C-alpha cells in the first residue's frame, strides 16, 4: 500500500523539480497547489496558511522535505517540519538540486533545514535524528532514478525513527 506523504518545499524555485518527485508512483503525495490557489491562501494571512498546512497534513504518515538551494530556514518550511514532527509523523529530507529545473539546469546544494530546528528539553538539533538523503549522482536522470528507487524505503525508515523517538 502506498504511503500518503506531505511534500514540503520552497515553491518558486523548486516546483518543477518537486513535480518530478511527485510523479514517482509508489508514493501518494499531497495534491499540487497552483499559483492562484496559493495566492488565495496567502491573502488570508498566517492563520489561513497554518490551516491550509494542517488540512494538507491530515491523514499523512510522513513529511518529505524536498531540499533545494533556498529551502533551509524558510518560515513555512520550518512550520511544516515542526508540525509534522510534533504530530508524530515520520520526517526526512531529500536533496533535489541534482534534478533539472524548468530551465533545464540543476541548482546548488541547499543547507540542511533540520539544522535550524531544535527539539526536546535539551534543545538538540533535529538534524541529529532526522535523515537527509543526497543522491550521489550528477546526471539528472540518475538522481531521479536514485530517488525513485529509494524513496519508499526512506519514508519507512523515517516513520520507524519517529516511532522510536
Amino acid at each position: 500500500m502506498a504511503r500518503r506523504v506531505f511534500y514540503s518545499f520552497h515553491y518558486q524555485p523548486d516546483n518543477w523539480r518537486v513535480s518530478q518527485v511527485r510523479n514517482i508512483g509508489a508514493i501518494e503525495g499531497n495534491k499540487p497547489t497552483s499559483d492562484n490557489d496559493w495566492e488565495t491562501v496567502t491573502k488570508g494571512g498566517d492563520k489561513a496558511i497554518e490551516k491550509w498546512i494542517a488540512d494538507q497534513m491530515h491523514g499523512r504518515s510522513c513529511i518529505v522535505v524536498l531540499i533545494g538551494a533556498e529551502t533551509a530556514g524558510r518560515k513555512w518550511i520550518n512550520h511544516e517540519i515542526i508540525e509534522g514532527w510534533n504530530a508524530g509523523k515520520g520526517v526526512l529530507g531529500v536533496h533535489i538540486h541534482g534534478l533539472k529545473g524548468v530551465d533545464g539546469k540543476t541548482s546548488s546544494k541547499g543547507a540542511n533545514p533540520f539544522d535550524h530546528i531544535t527539539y526536546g528539553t535539551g534543545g538538540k538539533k533535529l538534524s541529529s535524528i532526522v535523515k537527509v538523503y543526497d543522491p550521489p549522482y550528477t546526471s539528472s536522470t540518475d538522481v531521479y532514478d536514485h530517488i525513485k528507487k529509494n524513496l519508499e524505503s526512506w519514508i519507512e525508515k523515517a516513520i520507524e525513527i519517529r516511532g522510536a523517538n
Side-chain angles (χ1 to χ4, degrees):
M1 179 176 141
R3 288 285 190 178
R4 297 183 70 216
V5 302
F6 177 89
Y7 288 111
S8 177
F9 59 96
H10 184 195
Y11 184 82
Q12 193 56 45
D14 294 325
N15 61 352
W16 188 266
R17 290 176 184 89
V18 168
S19 70
Q20 294 172 59
V21 176
R22 282 185 164 158
N23 286 331
I24 295 172
I27 310 301
E28 182 185 331
N30 52 310
K31 185 179 122 195
T33 302
S34 72
D35 289 340
N36 291 339
D37 291 343
W38 184 242
E39 271 184 36
T40 302
V41 171
T42 57
K43 283 181 183 175
D46 285 0
K47 289 294 180 198
I49 295 170
E50 288 172 7
K51 181 185 180 327
W52 181 87
I53 291 168
D55 290 348
Q56 295 297 308
M57 282 190 179
H58 180 76
R60 309 293 173 180
S61 53
C62 191
I63 310 305
V64 178
V65 182
L66 298 173
I67 306 167
E70 303 171 22
T71 306
R74 300 191 61 79
K75 176 182 177 177
W76 294 113
I77 301 291
N78 290 348
H79 176 80
E80 292 163 352
I81 292 168
I82 292 165
E83 289 300 307
W85 183 262
N86 289 345
K89 299 177 188 308
V91 179
L92 70 117
V94 179
H95 284 283
I96 59 170
H97 63 282
L99 294 172
K100 288 182 180 176
V102 69
D103 61 0
K105 298 178 182 176
T106 58
S107 69
S108 58
K109 183 177 177 178
N112 184 336
F114 306 109
D115 282 341
H116 297 264
I117 300 169
T118 58
Y119 75 99
T121 55
K124 291 175 67 173
K125 288 183 180 182
L126 200 54
S127 59
S128 69
I129 195 165
V130 170
K131 293 204 175 288
V132 173
Y133 301 93
D134 185 8
Y137 300 101
T138 55
S139 154
S140 183
T141 303
D142 290 341
V143 170
Y144 175 84
D145 288 344
H146 185 76
I147 293 170
K148 182 176 182 176
K149 178 182 172 189
N150 293 289
L151 186 58
E152 203 169 356
S153 65
W154 295 341
I155 289 167
E156 293 304 321
K157 183 68 175 171
I159 293 167
E160 178 187 317
I161 288 170
R162 185 61 186 107
N165 290 285

